[in-house]
Amino acid sequence: DQAVLAAGQSKYAVVPYPDAQGRRHWMESWKTPLLEEGRVVGIIGYGRDIGDRQQLDQTLSVREQHYRTLVEQSADMIARYDREGRRLYVNSAFAALVGVEMERLHGTTPSQIPGGDHIPLLRRHMETVFSTGEPLEFELDWTNLGNRPLTSLVRFTPEFDGEGRVASVLGQYRDITELQASRRKLHRLAFHDELTGLPNRALLQDRLRQAITDAMWHKRSVCVMMVDLDKFKAVNDAMGHAAGDELLRAVAHRLSESVRAYDTVARLGGDEFIIVMPEVRDGADLGRIANKILRAVDQPYQIQGHEIYATCCIGIALYPNDGGDGGDLLKYADTALYLAKQEGRGAFRFYSKTLTASAMDRLMIESGLRHALARDEMELHFQPQIDFASGAVVGSEALLRWHSPLLGQVPPDRFIPVAEDTGMIIELGAWVLRQACQAASAWNGPGRPRHKVAINLSSRQFQRPGLLETVTATLEATGCRPGWIELEITESLLLDRDGRVADLLAAFRAMGITIAVDDFGTGYSALNYLADFAIDTLKIDKSFIQALGTDRRRAELVKAILSIAGCFHQMVVAEGVETAEQVRFLRENNCHFAQGWFYSKALPHAAMTALLTERAPLRPAPSEA
């Protein structure tokens, strides 16, 4: 009070005072001098108990401290923005992730620091919160000042002033970069091939469906190419799966480089790839593109320090020409691919409906062949071979026949190629060998003229180890002597480079088995083959025999073959003899044996046995001779 009187000025203070129980309270005190004619004549005082407010202030102060600690220590980025997008506040996590000191961020806008392509999206969402007063949550991809790509889950919350208007927006940024990377990885695993990074079957089907939908709307075409590597298994077997994987990655890259940026190159698995090409205007260009792909794949590869080569085949199907469904297009491209592979390495084929019929026929044949032996559907027929000099039956060729309950009588030219491709020819060949040797044993013996049974061997049988052992074991099991059979091979086997075929033929011949070259003149005929290989018999292909009366050039070729065979002391069998005129020509030019319908068609085992029992010579009727 004295201080107020002395100074003549008001004074405010918060002072403690005890209550009746001695508890401490706080009082807010105002004291003002009372003036009279300019002189201080007294004091006016006012006091108010502020204990509750003091406690509230302390509570608020503690809470504010807690809030500041929470915000400052939060792992989330937190920033407050005014209506112009300027930062009114940022926490340390915000500054650290942006990559700049906190002081530099105050008063700046996102477009100033850090800047980037995400700013328009950020600004648009901020304006939405200011205008609607509603919170907003979204994901944001952005890059900090250190050029590090980040993904944040952002929540913008409006802050209101006393009049209920949005005065500022509080932004909370949660770093989900690692989560987003995991999402993308899972998505990639779900829709991309892990080895090559190309789209997998699931993504391929989606893109193919979209391409067809767009093509339908714009009346355009879509091309589907199925690409399959040739002999890929040989790389895996020779160099290991790591080398095979490296080759697949290299091929995937070359395929992607060979097409347009908006085309899809996918991997279905193994060494099979699919190319989807939307917006195809001119189908004639597809042949050029297919050739470009073939050339790209055909270039040498450097794999594990070795230079290797790879080729591929391509099957092509088109929307809408071939089909309107993605699944059908893939199926048709696969059908075309199969026929491309039939032509050899580095080929492509377009799909046609006739190809589908051919593929279905092949499927039925393959399925039936797998059970034909077990179901006793196979049978050997024997076509007699006639000695021109005596007319006697001196041998026969064992010919495989298949009667399928589903397909009927299936010609050999329909099922033998399928058996070759699938490898089933090994089992069939062993069965034919055994049956033919049993027949030869039954038709030969004491007091009987020798009857030699010719047995066809597939090139696949020569490629598979153990052929010599199989023949030896079959002869022993059936009691057949080597001199009672003749093994027929194709001319293509004579191209053998490593000597393996020559060694096998020499081994067979050393056992007493004779060797014949079937369909001579239609393949790779060369004189040095006849000199280098152990060959006893040449079988002139029926196409030459049937042209004897109409094609002088072919007739001269037959004469030349007969002359050459005489020089090498080889026997000659004329196949497909059907007319007396052909018989006359062959006799006049010293052909040894004939085989054909002029004498007899191929006979079942029982009929052949009956023919040999009669021992009557098979001569042409006098009216036909």
Side-chain angles (χ1 to χ4, degrees):
D1 293 346
Q2 295 299 321
V4 174
L5 291 173
Q9 294 180 347
S10 298
K11 184 179 180 181
Y12 170 80
V14 176
V15 296
Y17 74 94
D19 63 9
Q21 286 76 32
R23 291 176 298 189
R24 192 179 192 187
H25 288 260
W26 291 92
M27 182 177 66
E28 189 177 50
S29 170
W30 287 270
K31 292 184 179 180
T32 303
L34 178 62
L35 301 177
E36 186 178 296
E37 296 181 358
R39 292 183 301 108
V40 178
V41 295
I43 297 174
I44 298 176
Y46 171 76
R48 183 176 62 181
D49 190 319
I50 61 169
D52 291 341
R53 196 185 78 182
Q54 187 78 0
Q55 186 176 0
L56 179 59
D57 287 345
Q58 289 178 351
T59 301
L60 290 175
S61 177
V62 170
R63 289 183 178 177
E64 182 180 1
Q65 184 61 37
H66 287 170
Y67 170 76
R68 284 185 175 276
T69 301
L70 182 64
V71 170
E72 289 300 325
Q73 299 303 319
S74 173
D76 292 345
M77 299 167 53
I78 297 174
R80 177 176 286 115
Y81 302 92
D82 65 14
R83 284 188 169 273
E84 283 70 42
R86 291 188 297 265
R87 298 182 181 98
L88 303 176
Y89 168 82
V90 297
N91 69 346
S92 57
F94 192 103
L97 208 54
V98 171
V100 68
E101 298 83 2
M102 291 177 62
E103 293 75 14
R104 286 189 56 194
L105 289 171
H106 289 294
T108 63
T109 63
S111 59
Q112 294 170 326
I113 302 176
D117 297 337
H118 70 284
I119 299 303
L121 176 65
L122 188 70
R123 185 64 190 173
R124 187 163 61 250
H125 287 327
M126 193 182 299
E127 289 172 353
T128 298
V129 176
F130 271 112
S131 62
T132 63
E134 297 291 333
L136 185 64
E137 190 171 272
F138 58 95
E139 289 187 9
L140 185 70
D141 292 319
W142 59 288
T143 305
N144 71 358
L145 291 179
N147 210 30
R148 175 189 168 195
L150 298 163
T151 301
S152 296
L153 177 63
V154 183
R155 180 175 178 82
F156 278 162
T157 304
E159 296 180 317
F160 300 93
D161 61 15
E163 298 179 2
R165 294 175 302 184
V166 180
S168 58
V169 168
L170 187 68
Q172 181 181 5
Y173 300 72
R174 177 156 295 174
D175 185 9
I176 59 169
T177 304
E178 291 186 5
L179 175 62
Q180 188 71 348
S182 297
R183 287 179 186 168
R184 288 169 179 160
K185 183 177 181 180
L186 288 174
H187 184 275
R188 188 167 187 81
L189 289 174
F191 294 103
H192 288 80
D193 172 53
E194 190 173 3
L195 176 65
T196 63
L198 295 177
N200 63 10
R201 185 183 296 272
L203 185 54
L204 165 71
Q205 290 174 339
D206 181 68
R207 291 190 179 177
L208 179 56
R209 184 167 51 249
Q210 182 179 344
I212 291 174
T213 301
D214 291 343
M216 188 186 306
W217 179 260
H218 296 290
K219 300 190 183 305
R220 293 175 178 167
S221 297
V222 177
C223 170
V224 174
M225 291 187 178
M226 185 168 286
V227 182
D228 187 78
L229 294 183
D230 301 317
K231 311 297 183 185
F232 173 71
K233 185 176 182 297
V235 177
N236 270 342
D237 292 344
M239 300 180 65
H241 289 283
D245 290 348
E246 190 175 342
L247 176 60
L248 289 175
R249 284 191 289 267
V251 170
H253 176 73
R254 291 190 186 182
L255 291 177
S256 299
E257 291 291 313
S258 300
V259 297
R260 301 167 298 186
Y262 54 85
D263 295 333
T264 295
V265 180
R267 179 177 177 235
L268 293 189
D271 59 344
E272 198 169 62
F273 298 85
I274 294 290
I275 301 174
V276 176
M277 306 179 70
E279 300 183 20
V280 174
R281 290 184 173 86
D282 188 356
D285 284 342
L286 295 176
R288 176 183 56 80
I289 296 170
N291 271 320
K292 178 183 176 183
I293 293 170
L294 293 176
R295 289 194 302 271
V297 173
D298 192 35
Q299 298 303 307
Y301 300 83
Q302 291 295 327
I303 305 293
Q304 296 183 352
H306 298 278
E307 185 175 81
I308 66 172
Y309 289 82
T311 58
C312 67
C313 288
I314 303 174
I316 305 171
L318 279 173
Y319 166 88
N321 304 42
D322 301 325
D325 178 78
D328 288 341
L329 290 177
L330 290 172
K331 181 173 64 177
Y332 297 155
D334 188 35
T335 300
L337 173 65
Y338 167 74
L339 288 180
K341 294 182 80 68
Q342 293 292 95
E343 294 182 7
R345 299 184 183 186
F348 71 88
R349 285 290 298 269
F350 285 87
Y351 169 79
S352 69
K353 291 185 178 178
T354 56
L355 297 187
T356 297
S358 174
M360 291 302 296
D361 181 67
R362 175 190 162 83
L363 274 176
M364 294 177 68
I365 289 174
E366 183 177 338
S367 176
L369 268 181
R370 295 191 182 280
H371 307 286
L373 287 179
R375 294 171 180 170
D376 200 24
E377 297 170 6
M378 290 294 180
E379 181 184 10
L380 280 190
H381 285 202
F382 300 85
Q383 187 164 37
Q385 293 177 344
I386 312 302
D387 183 348
F388 271 119
S390 64
V393 179
V394 293
S396 59
E397 180 181 0
L399 300 170
L400 185 59
R401 296 292 184 260
W402 177 25
H403 182 76
S404 165
L406 180 63
L407 303 172
Q409 196 70 34
V410 186
D413 60 359
R414 279 182 66 193
F415 72 83
I416 293 296
V418 177
E420 291 270 5
D421 290 342
T422 59
M424 286 188 282
I425 195 68
I426 302 297
E427 184 181 3
L428 287 175
W431 184 87
V432 168
L433 179 67
R434 185 169 57 255
Q435 297 296 316
C437 287
Q438 286 176 349
S441 293
W443 295 334
N444 287 278
R448 297 180 181 180
R450 187 173 69 168
H451 182 94
K452 183 170 289 191
V453 178
I455 305 166
N456 289 280
L457 291 182
S458 162
S459 58
R460 278 289 192 103
Q461 290 173 277
F462 276 85
Q463 293 167 3
R464 185 76 64 87
L467 177 60
L468 180 62
E469 292 76 9
T470 299
V471 173
T472 302
T474 303
L475 291 174
E476 292 177 358
T478 58
C480 180
R481 294 180 182 177
W484 296 345
I485 64 171
E486 183 167 73
L487 299 180
E488 293 190 6
I489 65 172
T490 59
E491 288 182 82
S492 61
L493 276 173
L494 303 181
L495 291 173
D496 171 56
R497 298 288 185 185
D498 60 12
R500 187 166 173 272
V501 171
D503 292 343
L504 274 173
L505 295 182
F508 287 139
R509 206 178 191 199
M511 291 169 59
I513 299 173
T514 57
I515 305 297
V517 177
D518 195 18
D519 300 332
F520 187 79
T522 60
Y524 307 91
S525 306
L527 294 180
N528 61 313
Y529 296 157
L530 301 182
D532 294 343
F533 287 83
I535 296 171
D536 302 281
T537 305
L538 300 182
K539 300 190 72 174
I540 305 176
D541 186 69
K542 63 182 180 181
S543 63
F544 290 93
I545 304 303
Q546 292 169 355
L548 285 178
T550 58
D551 190 332
R552 185 181 62 83
R553 288 173 176 261
R554 293 208 170 208
E556 293 300 321
L557 281 173
V558 171
K559 288 182 182 179
I561 292 171
L562 290 167
S563 176
I564 292 168
C567 294
F568 287 104
H569 305 289
Q570 293 165 334
M571 296 291 102
V572 178
V573 178
E575 295 183 293
V577 177
E578 296 180 359
T579 68
E581 183 181 3
Q582 294 165 2
V583 170
R584 188 179 302 110
F585 178 93
L586 293 167
R587 276 178 174 169
E588 290 173 355
N589 288 279
N590 301 314
C591 184
H592 305 102
F593 306 111
Q595 176 181 333
W597 281 29
F598 185 76
Y599 292 99
S600 174
K601 64 180 181 179
L603 303 172
H605 183 276
M608 189 68 193
T609 300
L611 177 66
L612 295 178
T613 301
E614 294 172 5
R615 297 190 182 185
L618 278 178
R619 298 181 182 274
S623 60
E624 297 174 333

